[in-house]
Amino acid sequence: MKRIPGKFWLAILFLAIFIVNTLLLYSEGYKFGWLWFCPTLLVMFAAAILTNNKLLLSSVVVSATVIEIIWSIDAIYFFITERFLVNAAMYLANASLARKIITMYHFLLLIVPIIIVLRKKEFSKHAWMVSSLNLFAVLLLGFLFNAHNINCTQDFCNLNFGNLEAVPKTDLILASSIIWITLSFLVFLPTNLFFNFLIKKLNASKKERFK
């Protein structure tokens, strides 16, 4: 009997987390919970692993790194102090035990893709474009379905990053545009450049060792 590759089970794990998370969100009244940006990365990661796709894997890293670092810091701070630093994980305050457990996938999205990228020592310079397109897609679908505050389009998830009162909270097109442009060019692109630089350095160091 042929041994099933570990990457297959890893992909199944991430897909299972996506399904369970979607069902939990639906049970709490979020019919379009699957449109949240981070859960879509679970599916993208599974596809990247199963197809050995460098572009998709790089995009998951670009999409998740900064966002998940912020979420992780906020979640850990909450578990220690029962308060939030930036309100990125504010839903944890009223979440069920099952939701709190499944939402730990954010830590997996931060750690696992980066480990794999560092082991492979490959990274796509176009990953930020895929991240941007994915974000645009979920924002557009959220707008078309009128999904309540999916991806922070209605109240910016109450993030404590400054005074956003001047932004009309009912203007979904404006809010979505701000989110898309900000993340695409101020988060995804710099993250892509950083990992490209890091992987090049690692590969150069490896070549030096084998000279």
Side-chain angles (χ1 to χ4, degrees):
M1 186 175 180
K2 291 184 69 174
R3 183 168 174 264
I4 299 175
K7 68 177 184 179
F8 174 81
W9 294 116
L10 186 59
I12 292 299
L13 172 63
F14 273 68
L15 288 175
I17 292 172
F18 172 78
I19 293 170
V20 173
N21 185 66
T22 299
L23 292 174
L24 286 173
L25 287 171
Y26 188 85
S27 70
E28 294 179 8
Y30 289 94
K31 291 190 296 183
F32 303 105
W34 53 275
L35 280 176
W36 277 99
F37 184 63
C38 290
T40 67
L41 300 181
L42 293 169
V43 178
M44 186 183 292
F45 176 77
I49 290 299
L50 290 175
T51 61
N52 197 30
N53 190 302
K54 181 177 73 172
L55 178 60
L56 287 181
L57 180 60
S58 301
S59 179
V60 173
V61 173
V62 166
S63 300
T65 300
V66 173
I67 293 173
E68 299 298 17
I69 285 174
I70 293 172
W71 185 93
S72 298
I73 292 173
D74 210 33
I76 292 170
Y77 188 80
F78 167 71
F79 288 130
I80 295 174
T81 68
E82 296 188 349
R83 293 181 295 166
F84 297 97
L85 281 175
V86 295
N87 293 341
M90 192 167 61
Y91 64 87
L92 289 174
N94 300 311
S96 64
L97 178 60
R99 180 92 187 280
K100 285 178 179 175
I101 292 173
I102 202 67
T103 202
M104 294 301 107
Y105 77 80
H106 287 281
F107 293 115
L108 293 178
L109 268 179
L110 174 62
I111 297 169
V112 176
I114 290 178
I115 290 175
I116 295 175
V117 160
L118 293 179
R119 288 182 62 182
K120 287 178 172 288
K121 293 183 175 61
E122 295 179 342
F123 208 83
S124 172
K125 63 182 180 182
H126 302 300
W128 75 276
M129 297 180 186
V130 177
S131 299
S132 181
L133 285 173
N134 183 39
L135 177 61
F136 179 83
V138 294
L139 289 171
L140 177 62
L141 290 172
F143 173 76
L144 293 176
F145 292 143
N146 194 27
H148 175 65
N149 199 35
I150 294 295
N151 297 303
C152 309
T153 53
Q154 293 182 26
D155 66 4
F156 289 91
C157 295
N158 298 312
L159 295 176
N160 292 327
F161 288 138
N163 182 16
L164 296 170
E165 293 300 321
V167 179
K169 295 187 178 183
T170 56
D171 193 336
L172 297 184
I173 295 178
L174 175 60
S176 297
S177 299
I178 292 173
I179 292 168
W180 180 57
I181 293 171
T182 300
L183 287 179
S184 293
F185 295 100
L186 298 184
V187 176
F188 298 157
L189 179 55
T191 303
N192 204 153
L193 293 173
F194 169 77
F195 276 99
N196 277 130
F197 173 79
L198 177 61
I199 296 302
K200 285 180 180 178
K201 284 291 185 182
L202 290 175
N203 285 328
S205 176
K206 183 178 178 180
K207 289 179 181 177
E208 284 295 324
R209 288 202 306 269
F210 287 98
K211 274 187 176 181

